Amino acid sequence: MWVLSTDRAELHSFASPEEVPDASFAALSHVWNKPGDGPPEQSFQDVRKIQETCAKDGTNPRDFVGEKIRRCCELAEKHGFKWLWIDTCCIDKTSSAELSEAINSMFRYYSLARICYGYLRDVPDLDDICNDSRSHADVFTRSIWFKRGWTLQELIAPRFFLFLSTSWQVLGTKADFADILERSHRIPATVLRLEVSHTEFSVAQRMSWFRRRQTTRVEDEAYCLLGLLDIHMPPLYGEGRDAFWRLQKKIMKQSSDTTLFAWWAGWGLEEDVCSCLFAPSPSAFSVDNPSAITYSPPKCNEERAHLIQKDAALGSECRDKLHDHMTLSITPEGVLAHIPLIECEGKMFADLHRSNRRCRVLLCLEADPSQAPRASRRPLYAVCNPRMACIDPPTEPGRYTIDGCSVSASWQTILIKHRPSSRRLPGQLSDAHSTSSFIPAAPIQLAHDAPFRFDEACIQRFSCASVRWTKWRFAMHSIAP
């Protein structure tokens, strides 16, 4: 781990955060400057070069680094800290191994920092922002800092987090702003006040905190959530949205929390994407409903299970009930699931032990309409739209009431489609979770002597606008008296 000395802004290396003297260091959370936002961020190599130059003439490197690094060093030193970690210059990004380690350790770095400064470059000095007018609170919550993906874990991980204005004046702590941030960004105030661990919340709830945040690289939508979900995996820049698909695979292998599949298909997603078990991006969890969905596994009666195992007189029927436990595994053809299925009036539902306040949340399934050739003989299902159905909790194990009908569940082993089809049209890219519809090439426009050509970007915009207009008209028609 590389850290800066606050008195001289010199880089020093330690084997781990715990090896930093007195295990005491500060950290900075900020939004990186893009062209036009301000001076470019200084890299590890930039700071090392300044450090080497100053070593020759005896000057202090802190006087020559960028304003952001210098001001943060000065503030941390004023608060009694000798060491400071900043992601822009304390990671050697030319080393893929060091970058991978830093991405997988970042949540831990912020958790171990004694203080984390959240620099809001677009928020002025505001008086009584925590208790005063709504307009001041809006200025605070609309900061670009709250729109970036990486800052989510940087907000949640530290024990003590201090927000700073554009002039480096203290605005308040995350505990001070907990209620404001819960209202505006749906992150529980109890988490921000460290009254409850973020691990007490379901996967869907933690995903929903991402909401509409953005990342410069699409892969970072997955990588910035690693620490929040307690997942470790190597970054592979260039894999596109497959990074988020890979993250979901890791979660499924590591956790039994089936709220991973509790996302809603929004407008603009292709039907092939909506019918999959895995979400295309963390923003699919941003609507209100998934944020309230929790995983509620059935309670296991260990004493009864022990008796069934030992007492052969109970019969094979009772012993078979021990095998009625949910299992999920990844196969090339989909998720192999041993789950309770409920059929009611031609509709198929799966109970994945998910609840929404007082309701049981079922997954809606249908036979996969693609009819693609498969090696497995197990039935393949796709997810319907809408994806979920809320019903009253079962009155007894395995017994459900759906649309007034009382039906029973049966445990079955099936395949569920987990990602879009790999079959593509000519010219279609392999970005499986693309949110824009693919427009096939018009053969007449491919010839050298084509009589006319349409710009594909214009066609794409027109197509998306047409889809939105059609869905809006349909929605208006459905609610009209």
Side-chain angles (χ1 to χ4, degrees):
M1 180 185 186
W2 291 95
V3 290
L4 292 165
S5 58
T6 57
D7 60 341
R8 295 183 57 82
E10 293 178 331
L11 284 162
H12 296 260
S13 177
F14 297 96
S16 69
E18 291 83 0
E19 296 295 323
V20 177
D22 300 324
S24 178
F25 63 93
L28 175 67
S29 173
H30 63 116
V31 175
W32 291 25
N33 288 339
K34 294 181 179 179
D37 294 336
E41 303 290 348
Q42 290 179 311
S43 67
F44 176 87
Q45 285 72 26
D46 294 332
V47 174
R48 285 294 294 268
K49 186 175 181 180
I50 294 173
Q51 183 175 333
E52 292 169 358
T53 301
C54 291
K56 296 177 181 178
D57 56 21
T59 53
N60 188 340
R62 196 173 76 174
D63 298 332
F64 299 92
V65 295
E67 181 184 11
K68 186 185 293 185
I69 297 176
R70 176 177 56 80
R71 294 290 295 269
C72 194
C73 282
E74 291 172 347
L75 183 61
E77 184 182 33
K78 178 182 177 182
H79 290 165
F81 295 96
K82 296 180 179 180
W83 308 101
L84 172 67
W85 189 82
I86 304 178
D87 56 357
T88 49
C89 60
C90 292
I91 304 173
D92 183 1
K93 300 174 186 65
T94 62
S95 168
S96 58
E98 184 168 331
L99 178 60
S100 177
E101 181 179 0
I103 287 175
N104 280 271
S105 303
M106 207 167 289
F107 191 89
R108 183 164 167 260
Y109 289 172
Y110 284 104
S111 297
L112 293 175
R114 293 292 180 87
I115 186 172
C116 182
Y117 301 109
Y119 177 61
L120 311 185
R121 71 184 187 204
D122 53 354
V123 175
D125 299 340
L126 301 174
D127 296 328
D128 299 325
I129 193 172
C130 301
N131 307 309
D132 201 358
S133 68
R134 179 172 297 180
S135 60
H136 281 190
D138 287 345
V139 171
F140 173 76
T141 57
R142 290 176 182 174
S143 169
I144 191 175
W145 189 91
F146 293 103
K147 300 176 183 178
R148 306 304 297 169
W150 286 103
T151 57
L152 175 60
Q153 68 170 357
E154 295 164 14
L155 173 64
I156 293 174
R159 293 177 62 85
F160 190 71
F161 190 100
L162 203 59
F163 285 106
L164 306 174
S165 70
T166 184
S167 60
W168 295 86
Q169 298 300 308
V170 174
L171 297 172
T173 70
K174 69 176 181 179
D176 296 329
F177 293 113
D179 292 328
I180 291 176
L181 294 177
E182 182 174 36
R183 289 194 298 268
S184 59
H185 297 284
R186 308 298 172 86
I187 302 173
T190 52
V191 173
L192 300 177
R193 295 194 188 104
L194 298 180
E195 296 169 0
V196 178
S197 169
H198 67 278
T199 58
E200 298 298 315
F201 293 82
S202 69
V203 169
Q205 288 172 308
R206 281 179 272 175
M207 288 281 197
S208 71
W209 301 342
F210 185 90
R211 293 182 69 78
R212 295 173 181 81
R213 292 172 181 260
Q214 297 178 343
T215 58
T216 302
R217 299 288 298 268
V218 67
E219 296 91 345
D220 287 333
E221 285 186 351
Y223 305 154
C224 72
L225 294 172
L226 293 181
L228 191 63
L229 298 165
D230 200 19
I231 296 293
H232 296 277
M233 70 180 200
L236 300 172
Y237 285 104
E239 65 178 331
R241 293 197 180 274
D242 276 352
F244 190 64
W245 181 79
R246 193 159 57 96
L247 172 63
Q248 293 173 92
K249 280 177 56 180
K250 292 281 289 185
I251 295 172
M252 200 189 79
K253 291 179 180 179
Q254 184 171 306
S255 170
S256 58
D257 186 346
T258 55
T259 66
L260 172 65
F261 314 125
W263 57 277
W264 293 84
W267 288 9
L269 287 178
E270 292 185 351
E271 184 177 349
D272 196 27
V273 175
C274 298
S275 63
C276 297
L277 200 56
F278 287 156
S281 76
S283 296
F285 295 84
S286 66
V287 295
D288 292 340
N289 287 345
S291 64
I293 294 178
T294 58
Y295 176 57
S296 305
K299 295 181 180 180
C300 177
N301 189 329
E302 297 182 0
E303 182 179 355
R304 177 174 175 273
H306 177 74
L307 290 174
I308 293 176
Q309 288 281 27
K310 294 295 184 180
D311 193 347
L314 290 176
S316 60
E317 182 178 349
C318 289
R319 288 196 299 271
D320 288 343
K321 291 183 179 180
L322 289 176
H323 300 290
D324 290 348
H325 62 276
M326 188 182 305
T327 58
L328 301 166
S329 59
I330 292 285
T331 75
E333 295 184 339
V335 172
L336 184 64
H338 182 67
I339 52 178
L341 293 180
I342 308 119
E343 189 170 0
C344 179
E345 297 183 347
K347 300 178 182 178
M348 187 69 73
F349 305 91
D351 185 1
L352 302 183
H353 305 322
R354 302 178 303 188
S355 300
N356 185 351
R357 298 182 177 92
R358 297 181 180 179
C359 300
R360 179 62 63 92
V361 181
L362 304 181
L363 181 69
C364 304
L365 298 173
E366 64 180 354
D368 181 43
S370 68
Q371 301 297 323
R374 297 185 294 109
S376 175
R377 295 182 179 179
R378 296 193 183 278
L380 176 64
Y381 290 87
V383 182
C384 302
N385 192 10
R387 299 174 57 85
M388 290 173 271
C390 294
I391 65 170
D392 292 332
T395 54
E396 58 181 277
R399 197 74 187 171
Y400 303 82
T401 300
I402 301 176
D403 296 334
C405 300
S406 180
V407 291
S408 298
S410 62
W411 285 83
Q412 298 182 37
T413 302
I414 62 172
L415 285 167
I416 305 177
K417 178 181 176 182
H418 61 329
R419 64 181 308 177
S421 171
S422 60
R423 300 173 65 185
R424 303 192 296 273
L425 296 172
Q428 188 175 11
L429 298 178
S430 60
D431 189 353
H433 296 309
S434 175
T435 56
S436 59
S437 299
F438 172 70
I439 300 176
I444 194 174
Q445 296 193 67
L446 301 180
H448 179 266
D449 56 349
F452 58 87
R453 300 184 195 278
F454 289 112
D455 180 68
E456 290 193 9
C458 293
I459 299 176
Q460 185 72 64
R461 289 194 295 269
F462 176 77
S463 175
C464 292
S466 299
V467 169
R468 288 195 296 269
W469 171 253
T470 302
K471 290 185 176 181
W472 180 83
R473 286 292 302 271
F474 177 79
M476 293 298 101
H477 178 75
S478 64
I479 64 176

